[in-house]
Amino acid sequence: MFSRWNWVACGFYLMLNICSPDASGGLVQSCGHIIPESPVLPLGSNFTALCILNESCLDFGNIYANQIIWKVKNRVVPKEQYREINRTVSSVTFNDTSSLATPLTCNILADGQIEQNIYGITVTVGLAPEKPKNLSCIVHQMSKSTYHMTCTWDPGRHTFLDTKFRLRYSWPEDIFPDCIPKGVNNSCTFHDVHFFVNTEIWVEAANALGKAESDPLILDPVDIVKPLSPQNISVIPEVLPTALKLSWENLISHSVIRLKFNIRYKILGDTNWMEIPAEDTASHRTSFSVQGLRPYTEYVFSIRCMKEDGVGYWSDWSEEKTGITTEEKPSKGPPIWRIIDASHSPASWTVHLLWKALRPFEANGVILQYEVTVRDKSSLSGPLKKYNVTSTNHTLQLPNGTYEVTVIARNSAGASPPSVLLIPANNSKGPVTNLRTLPKHDKLWVGWTAPNSYVLKYVIEWCLVSSSSDCIIEWQIAPGNVQGIDLKGIKPFKCYLITVYPLYADGQGSGQSVKAYLKQDRPSKGPIVQTKKVGKAEAVLTWNHLTVDEQNGFIRNYTIVYKTIDGNETVVTVDPSKTEYTLSSLTSDTLYTVRMMASTDNGSRSGPDFTFTTQKFGKGEIEAIVVPVCLAFLLIVLLGVLFCFNKRDLIKKHIWPIVPDPSKSNIAQWSPQVPAKHNFNSKDQMYPEGSFTDVSVVEIEADDKKSFSEQDLKPFDLLKKEKSTSEGHSSGIGGSSCMSSPRQSVSDSDEGETTQNTSSTVQYSTVVLNGYRDQTPVQVFSRSESTQPLLDSEERSEDHAGGADSTAQRQQYFRQHGAQDETNTDRPCFERPKQITHADEGDLVGFVQLQFSGQSSQPLGLGMEKNIQEAALSNVFQTSTEGQTLRPETVEENPLSVDEMPKSYLPQTVRQGGYMPQ
Amino acid sequence: GDSWGIFTFLCAALCNLPALPALNCSEELGAGQSIQQTYDLTRYLEHQLRTLAGTYLNYLGPPFNEPDFNPPRLARAERVPSATVDLALWRGLTDNARLAANYRAYSRLLCYLRVLDGQVGTAELRHRLAHFCASLQGLVLSIGGVMSSLGYPLPAGPAGPPAPHGAHAAPNDFLKKMDDFWLLKELQTWLWRSAKDFNRLKKKVPPAVVTLRLEARGF
């Protein structure tokens, strides 16, 4: 109970002590304190702190040192590190300060549990500064009289503490103000430098744990000067074309520091600098004459300087300055060559003189002009011809001969040595041998073997071979002692023609040419193959060579690949010089695909596929088949003909019966009435009526159909009519023919004559026979002559009675009455062939017209058709065409013919008979 | 009295010797380089003074900045050590005497110059004067170094503080300017003559030392 009160009292006292102001000890009277107060400790060292309690606290609060607890940043320090020195003092020991942290507090455990803080300290751990090392200084010239000395050093390890560096500078008896680095700890710059006095420079580093000094640097600042580079450089041409005078301004007075210099220079555009030997510029100066330069060349100069004795630093290189040397006369003549064109006339040449512009280091200035001199060597007194040319070529017209051409290049300083060329090429001299080429990267090396005699120089001509443009010659001259040269500017995949001429002192050797590629590629196109001829087992292929532009290299061979659709490929290699190849051993009647490939050293390319089919039959095979077949056919035909000939009687009997000739009958001797009847009767007897009628019917039927269709299409078709007429003749032996030319019956004068002229009836029969089989109207004509008067009257009447109405009327009349006057009908039938004959002799058109006019009076005529149609209403038999009307009539008439023979014999007569009443 | 004075001086000098790193250094590098350096410094000071004097005389204003301004030397300027000793007489002196005279003269001139420095109005001129003073101080040290390297004792006289400025203050501004004018003029004359002295002295240095120095250079 007591103890508890005691603790409470103690705690209260502590509170009071800490919180209440005390008159003697400031605001807070602490119960204790720690020694040392806020130490700075070296990293890694051991450290002991003491916490000392106030006596007053001990007395009142029963607080003793054994109750002390040490803490490092809220972490309790293990008890093992504590040591109770006496009642009021407790110590704590740390073997390594790196385990320390701030704050370190001394606490007391009041009343066994309540932890009270007595005191706390801040602990700082760090390192003492290291000795600065590697101190070095340099004096920079800032302006003409201003120098800054900058010193740098290695500050050493990090100290974790605030470490101050000071750069110190002193003379034996004077210490200058220190240089304090700003923002850095390893360099500092003095702005006031004193030359020619030995100076001691050192660095001091200091922090809470210690102080360190670098080794002193003893020097004269003038020995570490880096001067400013020379200024205002000017380059002035000297009298000599190979020298330039440089002058400049030094920013250091020679009375302060004497300088030495480096001068470097290069040709404008070059990358490599050349330097003037250092000995030449080892003393103080403000100008120097640079010699050994090229004339008329722009040079770039730059200078730097340092102290004359070489102690110190070189300045930076000055800004670059350029200058041009003066001109000098060209060092050599221009390389010259020629192209001789003798094509215009055999007696003279066009000589194109070509020369190359001198390179800058040869020209030594601006070439103002070239002087070309031409001397005829063949005539000693030949005048010199001089030309002043500004371009690099000149064209001369020269008669054939030997000439010496010289070219001199001239600039403002003088003339070059002459370049000489002999014209023409005396090609009898030996050429180079073993001309060859070899590609070398982007250049083409051309090599040759020199001829035996001494060669002054070689001319190498080359040009790009192209099918689209001319060969534009480029050339180059090589000295006589070389046997190879690199050609530049050669394009890959292009064919070049290279020619080498050796030039001798007294002429020129003949040129040797070689074709070359810098680089080959596969051809840009393949050859297009075609067949020239295709046989049964072979095909001749043909193609064109690739153009030079397409080749891209030397064509080494052609490859022909051919195959059937499902067959194996066959490959044939062909020499590149050929343009034709014959494929053999092909299968007949087979589709072949053929492709051709051109190959260079670097690859090949195929042309388009071409297909062809081999023939089914070889040459002569068809003939071998066709000829015998034809011969056999002919033989068969011949045999048939022979057979027919042998059996002609039999055949004639069957298909060509003999028709009796009425004219040969004795009917003419009979009286007109009786004999006519008799005659007809006899006829009937000769040809049985039935059979006759039968023939007639068959034939006319065929005719009917024909004419029926004809009517629909072409009522006036000439040929058909002709046929029908002729058939009409045959069918009715005059009956149908009369029907086809009814107009004849339209004559007024016929009436009497027809009745009177019985003879004409007889003649008619003759005509029909002739017309039917022989088709020879001549006979008919001769016969008809006897009846001419009748014809005349008939014709005349026809002319008068041309009207269609009257014809129609007559037709109608004829149909209604069915008049039976055969003589009337016979006559027109007889007439018509005569007219045809006339027409035949004349022109066809006339014939047509005649036919037309003849038909106009026919019942079938166009004009008649309406009438026919009208008539059909009344008469069933006459509704349609001629044939149709004819047949029933014929059928009807046949029975009639039994009573009246002349009327019934021919259908026409029936119709014509109708005409008779008129 | 004199012998005692010399004795004390020598004692002082001997005591001071090890304390001066520059002298140790001079010994190491040799008298030849020390003389060369002093000569270079003299030339450098001449060069500096040429521009500084121009600027300062302009600062003083007319008639002091006129090129042909050549006032008579006033009696009161006599306290500035004069270099107007007869040339033949000067050459007749020993090296030691000349070096000592130089040493004394520059030490005194330096004192007056420092006074001058404190009075200058413009910062730029003050800065340049300060720089010149520092360099002149270097010259005094250098001469001392040369004397040491040649085995001559340093003159004791001028080691004391300069004459108090107030005691010799010029009665008026013009006379003060006149003092300044003569100070600069005497400085120029002294520097010109010192350069000749050191050049002559340079030629007397042992060749071995020169060879050594050249080797050092070449390296």
Side-chain angles (χ1 to χ4, degrees):
Chain A
M1 192 69 174
F2 167 79
S3 65
R4 191 184 167 191
W5 275 111
N6 196 15
W7 276 113
V8 170
C10 175
F12 179 76
Y13 178 77
L14 270 172
M15 293 281 281
L16 201 75
N17 243 335
I18 290 164
C19 302
S20 63
D22 190 271
S24 60
L27 275 172
V28 175
Q29 173 69 49
S30 170
C31 254
H33 65 277
I34 296 175
I35 297 171
E37 180 78 36
S38 298
V40 178
L41 305 170
L43 197 66
S45 63
N46 57 15
F47 169 63
T48 301
L50 302 173
C51 186
I52 301 162
L53 299 173
N54 286 349
E55 290 288 341
S56 55
C57 290
L58 294 180
D59 294 342
F60 191 78
N62 289 324
I63 299 167
Y64 301 103
N66 60 357
Q67 294 169 319
I68 285 172
I69 295 169
W70 290 91
K71 278 184 156 187
V72 173
K73 205 180 180 182
N74 301 329
R75 181 170 53 82
V76 176
V77 178
K79 296 265 186 197
E80 301 83 60
Q81 291 175 244
Y82 303 172
R83 198 162 69 89
E84 192 184 343
I85 292 169
N86 59 32
R87 223 158 63 87
T88 59
V89 178
S90 171
S91 77
V92 66
T93 302
F94 297 92
N95 284 332
D96 188 349
T97 46
S98 56
S99 62
L100 268 173
T102 201
L104 173 68
T105 52
C106 171
N107 307 277
I108 195 146
L109 206 60
D111 202 14
Q113 278 118 25
I114 303 163
E115 196 175 291
Q116 289 288 335
N117 179 262
I118 302 293
Y119 203 78
I121 56 167
T122 308
V123 179
T124 309
V125 179
L127 292 166
E130 272 189 313
K131 180 179 168 183
K133 294 185 286 283
N134 300 333
L135 176 64
S136 68
C137 299
I138 181 169
V139 173
H140 289 285
Q141 186 183 13
M142 308 307 287
S143 72
K144 221 165 179 177
S145 57
T146 316
Y147 299 86
H148 289 173
M149 183 165 71
T150 301
C151 296
T152 54
W153 60 89
D154 173 9
R157 67 187 176 192
H158 185 53
T159 61
F160 309 102
L161 299 173
D162 179 27
T163 306
K164 297 214 173 343
F165 286 88
R166 284 195 302 166
L167 182 64
R168 313 203 71 181
Y169 176 101
S170 82
W171 283 346
E173 291 178 3
D174 288 284
I175 295 257
F176 290 87
D178 295 336
C179 183
I180 310 293
K182 288 182 182 111
V184 292
N185 63 359
N186 65 345
S187 78
C188 194
T189 300
F190 287 106
H191 297 279
D192 196 12
V193 183
H194 301 281
F195 291 147
F196 304 114
V197 183
N198 286 326
T199 308
E200 186 177 2
I201 303 165
W202 72 99
V203 186
E204 280 181 11
N207 65 14
L209 289 176
K211 194 172 159 184
E213 264 184 30
S214 71
D215 291 332
L217 200 63
I218 298 167
L219 48 82
D220 182 348
V222 83
D223 289 338
I224 52 169
V225 167
K226 183 184 178 185
L228 285 175
S229 49
Q231 302 268 302
N232 299 333
I233 300 163
S234 63
V235 186
I236 307 150
E238 296 262 39
V239 181
L240 276 173
T242 57
L244 283 173
K245 186 179 180 182
L246 285 175
S247 51
W248 62 89
E249 186 187 314
N250 292 315
L251 291 178
I252 295 181
S253 165
H254 70 282
S255 53
V256 181
I257 300 172
R258 289 182 63 82
L259 297 170
K260 65 175 181 179
F261 302 88
N262 272 174
I263 299 175
R264 63 176 186 180
Y265 64 97
K266 64 178 180 183
I267 294 172
L268 187 70
D270 276 9
T271 48
N272 295 328
W273 290 95
M274 293 165 282
E275 259 187 56
I276 305 270
E279 313 87 82
D280 295 353
T281 52
S283 58
H284 197 90
R285 62 183 66 230
T286 56
S287 70
F288 187 80
S289 185
V290 184
Q291 297 185 353
L293 303 176
R294 284 183 193 160
Y296 196 63
T297 307
E298 190 166 12
Y299 283 91
V300 184
F301 295 92
S302 176
I303 310 172
R304 66 176 181 175
C305 58
M306 79 179 294
K307 204 156 139 268
E308 193 178 27
D309 57 8
V311 180
Y313 300 91
W314 280 106
S315 72
D316 296 326
W317 285 103
S318 72
E319 58 170 355
E320 293 168 7
K321 201 80 186 175
T322 61
I324 305 175
T325 47
T326 50
E327 290 194 8
E328 194 181 25
K329 62 184 181 183
S331 60
K332 57 182 275 194
I336 178 171
W337 187 233
R338 84 293 176 276
I339 296 171
I340 297 176
D341 184 1
S343 61
H344 292 297
S345 73
S348 72
W349 295 314
T350 305
V351 178
H352 303 281
L353 292 175
L354 309 166
W355 57 90
K356 292 195 184 293
L358 291 168
R359 284 168 285 183
F361 64 88
E362 297 165 340
N364 292 340
V366 179
I367 299 297
L368 300 173
Q369 67 175 26
Y370 297 96
E371 293 172 12
V372 181
T373 314
V374 181
R375 189 163 69 86
D376 190 346
K377 286 194 87 176
S378 50
S379 62
L380 287 171
S381 60
L384 281 174
K385 287 182 188 166
K386 283 198 172 187
Y387 309 91
N388 287 338
V389 187
T390 51
S391 62
T392 55
N393 58 67
H394 188 60
T395 301
L396 296 168
Q397 291 288 340
L398 295 174
N400 294 1
T402 309
Y403 299 92
E404 186 185 80
V405 177
T406 51
V407 176
I408 290 169
R410 190 178 281 281
N411 65 14
S412 64
S416 72
S419 297
V420 182
L421 181 74
L422 287 175
I423 292 176
N426 185 0
N427 287 344
S428 59
K429 302 278 190 300
V432 297
T433 52
N434 192 21
L435 186 62
R436 62 210 181 269
T437 62
L438 190 69
K440 274 187 187 171
H441 302 293
D442 56 337
K443 296 174 200 161
L444 187 65
W445 179 82
V446 181
W448 58 85
T449 305
N452 288 329
S453 37
Y454 176 73
V455 177
L456 280 182
K457 52 194 170 187
Y458 296 98
V459 174
I460 298 96
E461 271 186 7
W462 70 94
C463 70
L464 196 158
V465 183
S466 167
S467 53
S468 58
S469 61
D470 287 341
C471 213
I472 296 166
I473 290 175
E474 293 178 80
W475 58 279
Q476 190 174 335
I477 284 184
N481 56 355
V482 302
Q483 299 195 10
I485 190 172
D486 286 329
L487 302 184
K488 290 174 192 169
I490 302 291
K491 294 177 196 161
F493 319 130
K494 300 283 182 193
C495 181
Y496 282 86
L497 178 67
I498 299 161
T499 311
V500 176
Y501 301 91
L503 296 189
Y504 300 96
D506 54 348
Q508 155 194 332
S510 57
Q512 286 289 303
S513 294
V514 68
K515 277 188 179 179
Y517 284 87
L518 176 66
K519 216 169 145 188
Q520 295 191 42
D521 196 4
R522 59 187 196 139
S524 52
K525 260 175 79 176
I528 298 167
V529 68
Q530 285 181 322
T531 49
K532 190 177 174 189
K533 211 169 91 183
V534 179
K536 187 181 173 187
E538 73 283 316
V540 180
L541 300 177
T542 176
W543 61 89
N544 290 325
H545 285 305
L546 295 177
T547 63
V548 178
D549 299 324
E550 289 163 353
Q551 286 178 4
N552 290 343
F554 294 113
I555 301 291
R556 297 302 183 196
N557 57 51
Y558 290 119
T559 309
I560 298 172
V561 180
Y562 64 98
K563 60 171 184 180
T564 57
I565 283 177
D566 50 352
N568 290 338
E569 269 193 356
T570 312
V571 179
V572 183
T573 305
V574 185
D575 189 83
S577 60
K578 290 186 176 164
T579 58
E580 199 176 289
Y581 185 77
T582 305
L583 301 178
S584 52
S585 310
L586 303 179
T587 318
S588 65
D589 194 24
T590 309
L591 183 71
Y592 277 93
T593 305
V594 63
R595 191 171 74 241
M596 195 156 173
M597 206 155 72
S599 305
T600 65
D601 291 341
N602 282 49
S604 50
R605 196 182 288 271
S606 300
D609 283 358
F610 181 80
T611 55
F612 65 90
T613 310
T614 48
Q615 290 182 351
K616 197 164 190 174
F617 301 105
K619 190 178 170 185
E621 272 184 14
I622 290 174
E623 288 88 332
I625 294 166
V626 168
V627 168
V629 167
C630 289
L631 286 173
F633 179 75
L634 282 172
L635 196 66
I636 289 163
V637 169
L638 195 64
L639 285 172
V641 169
L642 281 172
F643 175 78
C644 291
F645 188 71
N646 285 338
K647 302 283 180 180
R648 70 179 180 280
D649 294 339
L650 193 68
I651 293 165
K652 195 172 178 184
K653 188 178 167 189
H654 275 96
I655 63 169
W656 200 340
I658 297 166
V659 179
D661 188 351
S663 64
K664 286 174 183 167
S665 70
N666 51 358
I667 194 163
Q669 295 160 1
W670 298 345
S671 65
Q673 280 86 11
V674 184
K677 249 185 189 176
H678 208 269
N679 187 19
F680 278 107
N681 285 332
S682 70
K683 266 186 186 172
D684 285 341
Q685 282 169 339
M686 266 178 82
Y687 296 100
E689 209 171 295
S691 70
F692 186 87
T693 313
D694 277 346
V695 171
S696 170
V697 168
V698 171
E699 289 196 10
I700 287 168
E701 246 179 343
D703 189 86
D704 277 346
K705 281 173 187 168
K706 272 183 184 172
S707 52
F708 195 71
S709 63
E710 276 163 20
Q711 259 196 334
D712 289 342
L713 298 167
K714 291 179 184 175
F716 301 110
D717 183 85
L718 171 68
L719 293 170
K720 297 284 179 187
K721 278 296 166 210
E722 189 97 296
K723 204 178 175 185
S724 72
T725 3
S726 63
E727 280 172 18
H729 283 268
S730 70
S731 64
I733 313 179
S736 59
S737 70
C738 285
M739 192 183 72
S740 66
S741 52
R743 62 183 171 92
Q744 261 76 1
S745 64
V746 190
S747 68
D748 297 320
S749 57
D750 276 350
E751 292 175 32
E753 284 177 318
T754 46
T755 43
Q756 291 167 354
N757 239 341
T758 47
S759 63
S760 70
T761 314
V762 176
Q763 284 175 343
Y764 161 66
S765 293
T766 313
V767 170
V768 169
L769 187 68
N770 286 339
Y772 175 55
R773 288 298 175 196
D774 295 329
Q775 300 283 328
T776 35
V778 183
Q779 284 181 3
V780 176
F781 186 74
S782 61
R783 295 238 175 208
S784 68
E785 266 176 1
S786 62
T787 58
Q788 196 60 44
L790 283 174
L791 183 68
D792 282 344
S793 63
E794 217 176 66
E795 288 226 64
R796 236 177 283 129
S797 71
E798 192 185 344
D799 289 340
H800 290 300
D805 284 346
S806 61
T807 321
Q809 276 175 351
R810 282 175 223 147
Q811 288 294 336
Q812 275 182 327
Y813 184 77
F814 141 72
R815 277 166 191 161
Q816 280 166 358
H817 295 278
Q820 294 99 9
D821 192 342
E822 63 255 81
T823 54
N824 261 353
T825 58
D826 285 346
R827 201 151 290 173
C829 286
F830 161 78
E831 283 287 331
R832 210 184 67 86
K834 176 189 156 192
Q835 282 181 342
I836 288 167
T837 314
H838 280 299
D840 278 337
E841 284 165 353
D843 60 28
L844 192 65
V845 179
F847 177 66
V848 171
Q849 281 172 340
L850 276 171
Q851 280 292 343
F852 184 83
S853 59
Q855 279 183 337
S856 66
S857 53
Q858 282 178 1
L860 294 173
L862 187 64
M864 288 296 130
E865 266 188 10
K866 280 181 183 174
N867 297 331
I868 291 164
Q869 295 294 339
E870 286 165 19
L873 293 172
S874 53
N875 189 347
V876 181
F877 296 113
Q878 292 171 345
T879 48
S880 63
T881 55
E882 177 184 27
Q884 278 175 323
T885 52
L886 182 64
R887 187 172 45 177
E889 276 173 352
T890 317
V891 173
E892 278 173 18
E893 292 310 321
N894 283 335
L896 282 174
S897 63
V898 180
D899 305 326
E900 289 180 305
M901 283 308 286
K903 285 171 189 172
S904 65
Y905 178 67
L906 287 171
Q908 282 85 354
T909 49
V910 177
R911 265 191 260 157
Q912 298 286 7
Y915 194 60
M916 288 299 284
Q918 283 186 319
Chain B
D2 255 13
S3 60
W4 272 111
I6 292 167
F7 179 75
T8 36
F9 167 76
L10 278 173
C11 285
L14 282 171
C15 292
N16 280 333
L17 262 174
L20 293 172
L23 295 185
N24 292 339
C25 184
S26 298
E27 272 176 358
E28 285 165 20
L29 294 170
Q33 184 173 359
S34 196
I35 295 164
Q36 175 69 42
Q37 198 180 33
T38 313
Y39 169 74
D40 287 338
L41 180 56
T42 317
R43 295 288 308 273
Y44 178 43
L45 283 166
E46 258 193 292
H47 171 75
Q48 278 192 63
L49 185 62
R50 217 172 293 140
T51 51
L52 178 67
T55 316
Y56 194 79
L57 292 179
N58 277 333
Y59 165 74
L60 293 180
F64 301 100
N65 59 350
E66 286 163 12
D68 51 354
F69 180 67
N70 193 12
R73 191 178 168 100
L74 296 176
R76 55 170 279 103
E78 285 299 325
R79 59 200 169 85
V80 177
S82 173
T84 52
V85 184
D86 178 60
L87 197 63
L89 190 64
W90 179 256
R91 284 191 179 171
L93 293 175
T94 61
D95 289 338
N96 185 13
R98 278 200 300 269
L99 282 169
N102 270 305
Y103 186 86
R104 271 194 303 271
Y106 286 120
S107 299
R108 276 195 84 81
L109 286 166
L110 188 61
C111 295
Y112 285 105
L113 207 58
R114 282 187 174 141
V115 174
L116 192 78
D117 184 18
Q119 295 166 346
V120 173
T122 69
E124 159 70 11
L125 194 55
R126 198 157 57 228
H127 175 75
R128 286 172 66 180
L129 269 172
H131 187 263
F132 184 78
C133 281
S135 287
L136 198 62
Q137 169 72 20
L139 181 62
V140 174
L141 286 170
S142 281
I143 295 168
V146 169
M147 290 177 76
S148 304
S149 67
L150 291 175
Y152 303 135
L154 281 180
H165 186 249
H168 300 282
N172 62 47
D173 191 46
F174 183 82
L175 288 178
K176 197 195 108 18
K177 283 183 178 177
M178 193 68 97
D179 287 349
D180 295 346
F181 178 85
W182 277 110
L183 176 63
L184 294 174
K185 203 164 173 69
E186 285 299 330
L187 257 175
Q188 270 180 340
T189 319
W190 272 107
L191 286 171
W192 174 80
R193 197 166 68 182
S194 296
K196 288 190 176 307
D197 289 346
F198 290 117
N199 197 28
R200 213 172 295 129
L201 193 61
K202 197 169 67 176
K203 288 167 185 168
K204 285 188 191 171
V205 293
V209 177
V210 176
T211 317
L212 185 73
R213 187 171 62 87
L214 286 172
E215 275 173 12
R217 267 186 168 193
F219 174 73

